[in-house]
Amino acid sequence: MATDLVPGVVQPAADVSRQAPPPKRKRRARPVPLWRDLLRYRWLYLLLLPGLVYFVVFKYLPMYGLTIAFKDYVPFLGYSGSEWVGLKHFQELFTGPDFGRLMFNTLLLALLTIVFVFPAPIVVALMLNELRVRVLKRSVQSLIYIPHFLSWTIVASLTYLLFSVDFGVIANWIHSLIGGQKTDYVAQADWFRPLIVLQLLWKQTGWGTIIYLAALAGVDSQLYEAARVDGAGRWRQFWHITLPAIRPTIVVMAILTSGNLMDSGFEQIWLMTTSLNRDVASVFDTFVYYVGITQGSFSYATAVGLFKGVVGVVLILGSNLLAKRLGQRGLF
């Protein structure tokens, strides 16, 4: 109205009844009781129960046996009756003559595994992903998966049949090419680590490709189509689309692999160990068996195993933290 602009004119009070009511306060949702949540999802928790019981019985309860690493364990006296000695066995491990050799052999095998075995599934998966003939792709996948299902006993037996100095097929073929004196590749210490790496490559590469092929299958095909429209070649597509797509998977697998650096694999190393290569074949896994089972030093062997486990946990936590610092998602 015009009077609204005239100075000195008192405006009538606003009608209070027409004002909007104040907003109602939202009531906080009451937390659902635990028993009601268990009752509501009882079938899901029932499905969880067998796995939970398995981990409790076979993973957590046996950890009580680690206490013998701090005792002079005598089987007749039991856990509670054995004498408590504290860090005695750990001091013997770190100051003993075998620690340096065991650590060097274990870390060297771990380094060779990281350099040669870890990238192999990634390379094979990327190569298989480039195949356009589905029949050929599936045939190659099936052939490289098969060695994973063979036991290490069979793998070691095949290695002896191929590389033995007497009747090894590959050993005789190499000898016919280069001549000279025959080399016993299985028994010689210089050839122990190359054979271990070759066995790991042959047995585990095919199985590892499953994870990376699954990651590659989740890449949106429209990204490749858009890249081709923009003029990107196969190498550009590989570098800017394929590799970034599987980078999170590679990081997770690297974190999990770091936790197994001290775990060289008992069966494989034990089956390939001979009297001639024992110096380079001695690792923590075989040392635990030799000390604990053959010599009966249960406390000392448990201390060695506990040391391995602690190092594995530290490596997983450290690698996970490093991955997050580098901008990756990490494992947890």
Side-chain angles (χ1 to χ4, degrees):
M1 297 177 63
T3 56
D4 296 341
L5 302 177
V6 179
V9 178
V10 180
Q11 300 296 328
D15 191 359
V16 181
S17 61
R18 295 182 180 180
Q19 292 182 357
K24 297 181 179 180
R25 295 181 180 179
K26 294 183 178 180
R27 296 182 179 179
R28 294 182 180 179
R30 295 181 179 180
V32 180
L34 179 60
W35 65 269
R36 185 174 297 178
D37 185 67
L38 292 175
L39 183 62
R40 181 180 180 182
Y41 301 103
R42 57 186 180 276
W43 299 115
L44 295 179
Y45 286 110
L46 187 61
L47 292 174
L48 176 66
L49 187 60
L52 186 63
V53 172
Y54 167 78
F55 276 96
V56 171
V57 174
F58 296 101
K59 300 296 182 180
Y60 288 97
L61 291 181
M63 292 179 67
Y64 176 72
L66 295 176
T67 57
I68 67 175
F70 307 93
K71 299 180 179 181
D72 274 335
Y73 176 69
V74 179
F76 299 102
L77 299 178
Y79 292 142
S80 58
S82 301
E83 181 184 0
W84 182 273
V85 294
L87 301 177
K88 170 187 174 182
H89 301 295
F90 294 95
Q91 295 175 355
E92 293 179 358
L93 171 64
F94 297 143
T95 59
D98 299 322
F99 181 75
R101 176 170 54 89
L102 295 173
M103 181 63 73
F104 176 79
N105 293 336
T106 304
L107 292 181
L108 185 55
L109 285 177
L111 178 63
L112 293 175
T113 302
I114 294 174
V115 174
F116 295 103
V117 181
F118 180 76
I122 304 174
V123 175
V124 174
L126 293 174
M127 295 174 64
L128 290 176
N129 188 59
E130 297 298 324
L131 292 178
R132 295 296 177 258
V133 183
R134 290 189 175 182
V135 177
L136 178 61
K137 182 178 180 180
R138 293 178 179 179
S139 301
V140 174
Q141 289 179 4
S142 301
L143 290 175
I144 62 178
Y145 290 165
I146 293 175
H148 174 77
F149 300 98
L150 301 178
S151 66
W152 281 115
T153 305
I154 298 177
V155 175
S157 301
L158 292 175
T159 305
Y160 277 96
L161 290 175
L162 295 175
F163 293 96
S164 178
V165 66
D166 297 326
F167 45 81
V169 178
I170 297 180
N172 293 330
W173 178 70
I174 296 175
H175 175 70
S176 63
L177 289 178
I178 63 177
Q181 188 177 2
K182 289 186 177 182
T183 303
D184 193 357
Y185 299 97
V186 178
Q188 295 297 326
D190 296 337
W191 288 95
F192 173 77
R193 296 187 182 100
L195 289 178
I196 293 296
V197 173
L198 289 175
Q199 288 178 344
L200 291 173
L201 286 172
W202 183 70
K203 192 175 188 297
Q204 298 182 359
T205 299
W207 184 257
T209 56
I210 298 177
I211 300 175
Y212 298 105
L213 285 175
L216 291 172
V219 181
D220 191 357
S221 60
Q222 295 181 359
L223 297 176
Y224 293 102
E225 296 175 1
R228 284 192 294 268
V229 171
D230 293 337
R234 298 291 291 272
W235 174 253
R236 290 291 183 181
Q237 297 176 30
F238 168 78
W239 186 258
H240 295 286
I241 299 177
T242 305
L243 279 184
I246 65 174
R247 185 183 299 139
T249 305
I250 296 176
V251 171
V252 171
M253 296 303 297
I255 295 173
L256 295 176
T257 303
S258 65
N260 296 324
L261 291 182
M262 299 294 291
D263 189 4
S264 304
F266 168 76
E267 295 181 8
Q268 181 190 15
I269 303 298
W270 183 260
L271 291 171
M272 294 299 298
T273 301
T274 63
S275 58
L276 298 178
N277 61 14
R278 192 175 301 276
D279 291 336
V280 298
S282 296
V283 293
F284 284 108
D285 293 318
T286 56
F287 184 72
V288 168
Y289 172 80
Y290 177 74
V291 174
I293 303 301
T294 62
Q295 295 186 356
S297 300
F298 300 107
S299 297
Y300 185 70
T302 305
V304 178
L306 182 58
F307 166 73
K308 278 184 48 187
V310 171
V311 172
V313 172
V314 172
L315 289 175
I316 288 182
L317 295 177
S319 58
N320 185 77
L321 180 61
L322 179 61
K324 288 188 174 181
R325 291 288 179 87
L326 295 178
Q328 301 300 320
R329 183 178 299 178
L331 186 60
F332 49 86

